[in-house]
């Protein structure tokens, strides 16, 4: 039986069964993201239809919906498995943030010394807009009448009582997937916060999940001295990689190393792996906290305002866009093309176009377009050359994949290898203007790896710092199988299955996309 909330089609609620999404791991840790793509497509269908089996005339439908939402967003806790798990006063001091150096046997602080903790019952409201009509821009409605339904998630932060003695903690940090600005900032803050709690044993697992099984890759001891200045550089101190061993081998390695706190930095695939590790630890009745920190430069994680690295990517993209503009503006009938990141979500391209004010055409995966024909991109480019003499195009890497020949190849994470839409558009533009006899000067810029390798900017630096702190707070509070993020401007804990069900996408009916269209002045290319 499908959950009530998924059946009636809330946009951010996955249409899945009562159990979390299941991912098959056959030899490799990371699942094929094609399954996530299928779920994404399925949910787009559900978001546009109503399930007639739901009786909205039932006076209790709203209560049932809220109960179902609360059940799915329950965050797993050690006490779910260990009924006798002992609570102790927190060693995280809010008045004097010094590492605990006393003998732990008699040195735990008393309740009177602390204040300002987050209560376990604190909640953050997911939505703040009461849409009066389903036709409102960006409307997310539960029922045909757009009834207001409160949906709450768990507030992140330090708890007054903790479930791990710091002297018994053996913490590990792993970074997976591709590079992203801010990885070092998160690593640094996790280490610093662990030390403030009083943890002495902290290690980094190099090169993603691969580091758990490759005997030639030794773990890296971490301390505040080691990580003090790593945030001043881009990349990851621990290195990254895709793929890795199976879940059982990873948990075997964790048992051998005595790891009882694991912090996983990565995207949807990495979090699917983290959730599988959490479930395996529970199956073996291991007293382990597995906490994720969402890392995706594309900003495509469900329920979250933004993910770290996104602001830096938008800021750095301005350099490429400005260069493309100068090249185009300085040439006779110049056309500049900039390809930005965004496999399935066009947030970077959209925000970069808005921020620059120099983009004439923005193409994203969520909005279909035609290159040819009377309403196609090429005809509009011709119009731009006639009226203003030059044009700049910003395209997300996942846009227009229907125009390219599919390779059916996948990378180590199971991601489908995309065709190069930027090069394709460049070639089609040159061919088109040659055929119509109009001279053109086309320049193509792909700054992807330059952006990924950047140091985080100030905005992302703050986000990374707070995410790292709250990841540690969540682990000490006894939560596992969770990820930390910012939702509705507040930091929250979310169950991993709910945020990895499918990628977050740009809503073509949203106010932000409408603002982008107003900025570029582009028509519909269909």
């Amino acid at each position: 039986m499908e959950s009530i909330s998924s059946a009636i089609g809330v946009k951010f609620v996955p249409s899945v069964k009562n159990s979390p999404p299941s991912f098959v791991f056959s030899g490799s840790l990371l699942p094929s993201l094609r399954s996530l793509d299928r779920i994404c497509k399925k949910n787009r269908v559900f978001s546009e239809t109503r399930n007639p089996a739901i009786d909205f005339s039932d006076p209790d439908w709203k209560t049932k919906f809220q109960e179902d939402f609360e059940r799915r967003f329950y965050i797993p806790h050690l006490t779910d498995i260990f009924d006798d798990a002992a609570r102790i006063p927190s060693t995280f001091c809010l008045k004097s943030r010094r590492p605990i150096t006393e003998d732990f046997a008699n040195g735990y602080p008393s309740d009177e010394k602390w204040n300002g903790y987050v209560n376990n019952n604190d909640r953050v409201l997911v939505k703040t807009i009461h849409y009066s009509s389903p036709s409102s821009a960006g409307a997310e409605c539960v029922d045909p009448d757009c009834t207001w339904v409160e949906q709450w998630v768990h507030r992140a932060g330090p708890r007054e009582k903790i479930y791990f003695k710091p002297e018994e903690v053996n913490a590990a940090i792993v970074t997976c997937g591709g590079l992203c600005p801010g990885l070092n900032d998160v690593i640094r803050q996790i280490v610093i916060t662990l030390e403030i709690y009083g943890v002495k044993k902290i290690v980094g697992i190099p090169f993603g999940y691969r580091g758990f099984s490759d005997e030639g890759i030794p773990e890296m001891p971490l301390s505040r001295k080691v990580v003090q200045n790593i945030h001043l550089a881009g990349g990851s101190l621990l290195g990254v990689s895709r793929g890795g061993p199976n879940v059982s081998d990873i948990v075997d390695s964790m048992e051998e190393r005595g790891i009882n706190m694991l912090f996983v930095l990565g995207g949807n695939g990495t979090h699917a792996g983290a959730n599988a590790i959490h479930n395996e630890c529970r199956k073996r009745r291991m007293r382990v906290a597995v906490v994720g920190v969402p890392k995706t430069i594309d900003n495509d994680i469900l329920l979250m305002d933004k993910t770290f690295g996104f602001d830096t990517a938008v800021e750095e993209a301005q350099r490429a866009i400005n260069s493309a503009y100068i090249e185009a503006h300085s040439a006779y009938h110049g056309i500049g093309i900039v390809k930005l990141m965004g496999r399935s979500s066009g947030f970077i391209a959209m925000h970069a176009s808005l921020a620059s004010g120099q983009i004439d055409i923005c193409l994203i995966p969520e909005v279909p377009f035609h290159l040819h024909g009377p309403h196609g991109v090429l005809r509009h480019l011709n119009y731009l050359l006639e009226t203003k003499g030059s044009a700049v195009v910003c395209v997300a890497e996942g846009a227009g994949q229907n125009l390219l020949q599919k390779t059916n190849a996948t990378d180590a994470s199971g991601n489908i290898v995309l065709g190069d839409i930027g090069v394709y558009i460049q070639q089609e533009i040159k061919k088109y203007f040659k055929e119509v006899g109009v001279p053109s000067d086309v320049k193509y810029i792909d700054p992807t790896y330059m952006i990924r390798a950047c140091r985080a900017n100030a905005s992302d630096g703050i986000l990374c710092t707070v995410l790292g702190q709250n990841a540690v707070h969540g682990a000490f509070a006894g939560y596992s199988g969770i990820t930390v993020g910012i939702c509705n401007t507040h930091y929250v804990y979310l169950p991993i299955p709910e945020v990895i069900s499918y990628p977050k996408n740009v809503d073509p009916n949203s106010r932000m996309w409408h603002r982008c269209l107003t900025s570029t002045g582009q028509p519909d290319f269909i």
Side-chain angles (χ1 to χ4, degrees):
M1 176 181 174
E2 289 192 338
S3 59
I4 295 174
S5 49
S6 63
I8 58 182
V10 180
K11 286 188 179 179
F12 55 77
V13 176
S15 301
V16 294
K17 304 289 184 181
N18 286 339
S19 58
S22 69
F23 299 94
V24 178
F25 299 89
S26 55
S28 175
L29 169 70
L30 299 179
S32 169
L33 293 188
R34 277 177 286 188
S35 60
L36 298 180
D37 292 337
R38 286 195 295 270
I39 296 173
C40 178
K41 292 174 183 176
K42 180 181 178 184
N43 276 272
R44 290 196 189 106
V45 172
F46 269 83
S47 68
E48 296 168 359
T49 60
R50 306 292 175 188
N51 191 327
I54 302 299
D55 182 10
F56 290 109
S57 63
D58 180 356
D60 295 326
W61 77 262
K62 185 175 176 180
T63 300
K64 292 176 181 177
F65 174 87
Q66 290 173 320
E67 288 174 350
D68 177 69
F69 185 89
E70 186 172 342
R71 176 190 59 78
R72 290 188 302 106
F73 281 81
Y74 171 81
I75 50 179
H77 195 272
L78 288 177
T79 54
D80 298 339
I81 303 297
F82 304 98
D83 296 334
D84 58 347
R87 297 192 310 164
I88 59 175
S90 178
T91 57
F92 182 79
C93 179
L94 295 171
K95 292 182 178 178
S96 177
R97 282 150 293 281
R98 291 180 304 220
I100 302 298
T101 57
E102 305 165 89
D103 178 12
F104 283 108
N106 301 306
Y108 289 112
S110 65
D111 295 344
E112 290 76 25
K113 290 184 180 179
W114 320 119
N115 59 14
Y117 292 104
V118 170
N119 191 288
N120 283 338
N121 293 321
D122 287 354
R123 297 290 188 272
V124 172
L125 190 62
V126 173
K127 292 192 300 180
T128 57
I129 299 178
H130 182 185
Y131 296 100
S132 61
S133 167
S135 62
S136 296
E140 296 176 358
C141 297
V142 174
D143 68 331
D145 296 325
C146 249
T147 303
W148 171 255
V149 180
E150 293 180 350
Q151 296 161 311
W152 304 89
V153 290
H154 297 255
R155 185 184 179 197
R159 268 51 175 178
E160 186 176 4
K161 301 291 184 179
I162 59 177
Y163 286 81
F164 289 90
K165 293 184 177 181
E167 73 273 23
E168 297 175 357
V169 170
N170 190 351
I173 306 171
V174 61
T175 56
C176 306
L179 289 181
C180 177
L183 280 170
N184 280 334
D185 301 65
V186 178
I187 294 169
R188 177 179 182 270
Q189 202 57 224
I190 289 175
V191 172
I192 289 173
T193 309
L194 284 168
E195 287 198 351
I196 289 174
Y197 269 96
V199 176
K200 306 290 185 184
K201 303 171 187 174
I202 312 170
V203 299
I205 306 298
F207 303 111
Y209 288 128
R210 188 183 308 276
F212 281 104
S213 63
D214 195 325
E215 296 180 358
I217 305 177
E219 63 186 27
M220 181 185 300
L222 299 175
S223 65
R224 181 163 192 152
K225 184 177 181 180
V226 173
V227 303
Q228 184 61 44
N229 294 314
I230 63 172
H231 63 300
L232 302 179
S236 170
L237 172 71
L238 304 178
V240 294
S241 74
R242 301 186 185 277
N246 60 48
V247 175
S248 181
D249 289 343
I250 290 178
V251 178
D252 287 344
S253 177
M254 289 173 62
E255 281 193 285
E256 292 172 7
R257 302 170 192 243
I259 295 171
N260 55 6
M261 274 191 192
L262 178 63
F263 299 96
V264 181
L265 284 59
N268 274 351
T270 300
H271 271 66
N275 193 57
I277 293 170
H278 157 75
N279 289 331
E280 180 67 16
C281 288
R282 284 196 153 199
K283 181 180 175 182
R284 300 188 189 188
R285 294 189 62 81
M286 293 169 56
R287 202 169 183 274
V288 175
V290 181
V291 179
V293 181
K295 177 231 67 177
T296 167
I297 204 169
D298 294 343
N299 194 37
D300 60 351
I301 299 290
L302 288 175
L303 293 164
M304 298 185 185
D305 294 354
K306 65 178 177 179
T307 52
F308 74 83
F310 174 70
D311 278 353
T312 304
V314 171
E315 184 175 307
E316 290 298 320
Q318 304 307 299
R319 304 175 190 270
I321 291 173
N322 189 53
S323 296
Y325 172 80
I326 291 173
E327 287 285 352
H329 194 66
S330 302
Y332 178 66
H333 282 186
I335 299 173
I337 305 169
V338 178
K339 186 182 79 171
L340 298 177
M341 289 152 289
R343 292 184 56 85
S344 60
S345 303
F347 289 103
I348 293 179
M350 177 176 68
H351 282 256
S353 298
L354 272 167
S356 71
Q358 297 174 315
I359 297 297
D360 298 292
I361 298 174
C362 177
L363 305 174
I364 61 174
E366 296 87 344
V367 180
F369 62 90
H370 292 149
L371 278 181
H372 300 276
H375 305 293
V377 172
L378 298 175
R379 180 67 66 87
H380 185 61
L381 277 174
N382 196 358
Y383 166 78
L384 291 171
L385 294 189
E386 291 175 354
T387 56
K388 55 180 293 198
S390 63
V392 182
V393 180
C394 177
V395 56
E397 62 180 317
Q401 290 300 306
N402 61 302
L403 305 175
L404 307 175
Q405 184 176 357
K406 296 191 184 329
T407 63
N408 295 321
T410 58
D411 62 18
S413 294
N415 298 311
I416 296 174
V417 177
L418 300 178
D420 196 328
I421 186 64
V423 170
Y424 178 78
I425 288 178
Q426 178 193 28
Q427 293 171 344
E428 290 299 304
I429 290 174
K430 289 181 177 180
K431 186 190 304 181
Y432 170 80
F433 282 104
K434 183 177 180 180
E435 290 174 353
V436 297
V438 175
S440 65
D441 189 341
V442 185
K443 298 294 191 301
Y444 173 55
I445 299 174
D446 180 356
T448 299
Y449 293 105
M450 296 176 66
I451 291 175
R452 289 193 347 168
C454 286
R455 170 191 174 185
N457 65 9
S459 175
D460 273 328
I462 295 171
L463 177 60
C464 292
T465 295
V466 183
L467 290 175
Q469 291 177 358
N470 280 321
V472 176
H473 294 323
F476 267 101
Y479 297 117
S480 181
I482 65 168
T483 192
V484 59
I486 184 168
C487 176
N488 201 2
T489 73
H490 295 279
Y491 291 88
V492 299
Y493 295 133
L494 298 163
I496 290 177
E498 291 299 328
V499 300
I500 65 171
S501 300
Y502 56 94
K504 180 176 72 174
N505 299 119
V506 173
D507 180 0
N509 187 45
S510 67
R511 289 291 298 124
M512 192 59 74
W513 178 243
H514 293 169
R515 291 168 186 138
C516 185
L517 295 179
T518 301
S519 175
T520 62
Q522 70 191 63
D524 295 328
F525 298 117
I526 53 175

